Amino acid sequence: MTNGREQWSSKFGFILAAAGSAVGLGNIWKFPHMAGENGGGAFTLIYLICILVVGLPILLAEFTLGRRTQASPVGAFSALSDGSRWKWLGMLGVASAFVILSFYGVIGGWTIKYSLLALAGSFSDIASSAGGAQAEFDQFVANPVEPIFWHMIFMGLTVLIILKGVKGGIEKWSKALMPILLGILIVLVIRGVTLDGAMEGIRFLFSPKWGDLTTEGVVLALGHSFFTISLGMGTMITYGSYLRKDQDLLRAGLWVIFIDTAIALLAGVAIFTAVFALGQNPAGGPGLIFVVLPTIFPQMPGGAVFGFLFFALLFVAALTSAISILEVVIAYFIDEKQWSRTQATLAFGGIITMLGIFVSLSFGEYNVLKSFGEMNFFSLMDNMSSKYMLPIGGFLTAVFVLTRWGVPEFLKELQTGAAGMKIPLIPAIAVFGFAGLVVAYILLYEVFKVMFGAG
Ligand code: PHE
């Protein structure tokens, strides 16, 4: 189909771009600390099940919706439902993109700062400073100027890539950065597993301690499985809309999930082997990466180099995801409002960067949500997106396929480009029904907990 819409240049390019979107802070920053706090192996197992049972069907739904309609989410839902209210599901995706990118860009900025700190050999000073790495980190994020500067650099890079479009921007940079990411990760894993005492970290990550797993942990695992595969906000619809008909979508989906999961697990191995070998606490929470690791690197031979590589890895992963989040917003304005790519990218890249400034300020004395206890803009945005917006988006996407578009149409699109593949209808319906039920159950659990404080 050539309606002047931009297209990926190759099947491989699409897979790398989609994997680039999936692999991000979620894999390297969030997954290890969530597993660390929720029973290690038990959390890992639940997470893997959620990805296969819920993530895969919804990922395929998004790919097929995008490719069938050659439109970004609002246009896609609207085209397949005769312009009905379903287009609001697309709008929810655009809104989620604003929410997620506003905090994602801030952490993206932190990764630049910490790469440079590592490179300058400053981790050993940080580790031995008075308040230790925690105080250094708290001070950095609370500073009203410096993190905003790095955030703007990170967002500037995101905008530059998106300005170049699908082939010349997203695809080109994903192709260049993903192999670098894998290379760095392999070096770090080898470093980790060759440390004395590394086995304990591996055991922690893979052997389930069921006692430490709570219902809350299961809810987190599900929300995270959406976040980590970039589901529930139309990223994969948007990327699917730049596809030609000759791509085997089931295969592409399996690749994306495999790469995403493999990288999360490898990042977990790299981090926990080091954490256990050097005697630190795995349940370090969100600070695990920015607080615990800077004290660990100086203790290993070549620590400055490995420290730099680690934060560079985080930066690369964050960048290829950030572009996919911005692209959802940009594609909406190009498709539905006929803006030019340049106009849309500059305008909305700018607006989201501004939102990020508020998020960054919320770590310091300018936290306007201070009166709500522990809350700041960052945790608000993070919770709102991964606990509610993405699961709701994913759930409604499953409902859309089941009740409006129809599973037979979905299968027809899925089988296009996959020579000879024939998926039977009833099991496909069952898979979507089951995925929808699981998400609905978990969403209800969250809602009840917030309303009645149960759990
Ligand atoms: N999947 C990305 C990560 O794991 C985050 C993301 C969420 C990207 C939603 C796009 C859309 O970090």
Side-chain angles (χ1 to χ4, degrees):
M1 197 183 275
T2 44
N3 48 3
R5 191 176 184 74
E6 290 189 79
Q7 303 258 301
W8 306 108
S9 69
S10 66
K11 296 182 188 176
F12 179 61
F14 164 67
I15 293 179
L16 277 192
S21 167
V23 174
L25 293 169
N27 304 60
I28 302 167
W29 175 60
K30 269 185 149 186
F31 168 71
H33 86 244
M34 286 173 138
E37 291 172 311
N38 290 286
F43 182 86
T44 308
L45 197 68
I46 301 287
Y47 159 81
L48 293 177
I49 294 174
C50 288
I51 288 201
L52 273 182
V53 173
V54 184
L56 182 62
I58 294 178
L59 175 64
L60 296 178
E62 291 206 11
F63 280 169
T64 50
L65 283 165
R67 186 173 70 177
R68 166 64 68 88
T69 57
Q70 298 282 300
S72 52
V74 174
F77 286 114
S78 164
L80 296 174
S81 67
D82 305 323
S84 76
R85 290 204 200 114
W86 280 103
K87 74 164 187 288
W88 289 100
L89 179 50
M91 294 302 291
L92 175 69
V94 178
S96 308
F98 277 88
V99 170
I100 296 180
L101 194 49
S102 66
F103 74 81
Y104 214 85
V106 173
I107 303 176
W110 299 355
T111 65
I112 305 182
K113 162 79 179 179
Y114 271 70
S115 310
L116 298 178
L117 279 177
L119 205 57
S122 310
F123 281 171
S124 42
D125 304 340
I126 289 184
S128 56
S129 68
Q134 181 72 52
E136 294 285 329
F137 174 71
D138 291 345
Q139 211 173 0
F140 166 63
V141 299
N143 182 308
V145 180
E146 202 192 343
I148 293 179
F149 170 75
W150 297 116
H151 159 68
M152 287 165 105
I153 303 261
F154 182 86
M155 287 303 296
L157 293 171
T158 307
V159 163
L160 281 179
I161 297 178
I162 290 301
L163 278 175
K164 295 273 182 209
V166 175
K167 229 185 269 176
I170 303 175
E171 181 173 348
K172 184 172 143 198
W173 282 97
S174 303
K175 274 184 178 160
L177 294 174
M178 291 305 283
I180 297 182
L181 185 146
L182 190 64
I184 299 182
L185 189 56
I186 290 174
V187 172
L188 290 169
V189 167
I190 294 177
R191 171 67 282 193
V193 296
T194 49
L195 290 167
D196 274 344
M199 248 345 260
E200 211 170 317
I202 297 191
R203 221 171 289 129
F204 173 78
L205 189 62
F206 293 107
S207 67
K209 277 201 286 177
W210 296 107
D212 293 349
L213 187 71
T214 54
T215 322
E216 179 74 1
V218 177
V219 176
L220 278 178
L222 181 90
H224 185 62
S225 68
F226 278 92
F227 186 85
T228 192
I229 333 179
S230 312
L231 293 181
M233 56 165 266
T235 315
M236 296 304 188
I237 299 183
T238 308
Y239 274 20
S241 76
Y242 305 128
L243 270 177
R244 285 185 296 246
K245 293 289 183 193
D246 60 353
Q247 184 119 15
D248 179 339
L249 293 179
L250 176 60
R251 212 185 180 144
L254 288 169
W255 267 113
V256 170
I257 284 188
F258 171 73
I259 297 173
D260 186 71
T261 310
I263 289 187
L265 295 178
L266 286 175
V269 168
I271 292 169
F272 287 120
T273 46
V275 167
F276 277 89
L278 300 165
Q280 300 274 349
N281 175 14
L288 178 64
I289 298 297
F290 291 98
V291 174
V292 178
L293 291 185
T295 62
I296 286 180
F297 286 119
Q299 299 177 50
M300 43 170 97
V305 175
F306 291 114
F308 168 71
L309 286 178
F310 181 82
F311 285 98
L313 168 79
L314 204 54
F315 163 71
V316 167
L319 188 61
T320 51
S321 298
I323 55 179
S324 74
I325 307 176
L326 185 57
E327 181 65 13
V328 170
V329 178
I330 302 315
Y332 167 72
F333 282 92
I334 296 177
D335 285 358
E336 304 295 317
K337 306 279 173 210
Q338 284 74 46
W339 288 34
S340 73
R341 176 168 286 275
T342 311
Q343 276 172 337
T345 310
L346 293 178
F348 289 94
I351 291 176
I352 295 175
T353 306
M354 298 289 284
L355 285 176
I357 292 179
F358 288 103
V359 171
S360 185
L361 287 175
S362 81
F363 287 99
E365 55 179 311
Y366 301 101
N367 178 13
V368 283
L369 300 176
K370 223 185 306 196
S371 42
F372 297 92
E374 281 287 272
M375 183 114 88
N376 56 20
F377 258 121
F378 169 74
S379 56
L380 179 72
M381 298 295 206
D382 183 18
N383 276 321
M384 208 158 77
S385 52
S386 13
K387 281 196 182 153
Y388 304 101
M389 297 175 90
L390 299 184
I392 290 175
F395 169 69
L396 291 177
T397 304
V399 173
F400 181 82
V401 172
L402 278 169
T403 64
R404 187 79 200 210
W405 191 28
V407 178
E409 284 299 309
F410 157 77
L411 286 178
K412 203 161 103 197
E413 187 61 41
L414 184 65
Q415 285 157 1
T416 307
M421 184 175 72
K422 198 102 203 74
I423 298 176
L425 180 61
I426 303 291
I429 295 179
V431 166
F432 272 104
F434 187 66
L437 281 177
V438 172
V439 189
Y441 170 77
I442 290 185
L443 273 170
L444 283 178
Y445 170 84
E446 263 306 306
V447 172
F448 277 119
K449 202 183 73 180
V450 170
M451 281 170 42
F452 306 113

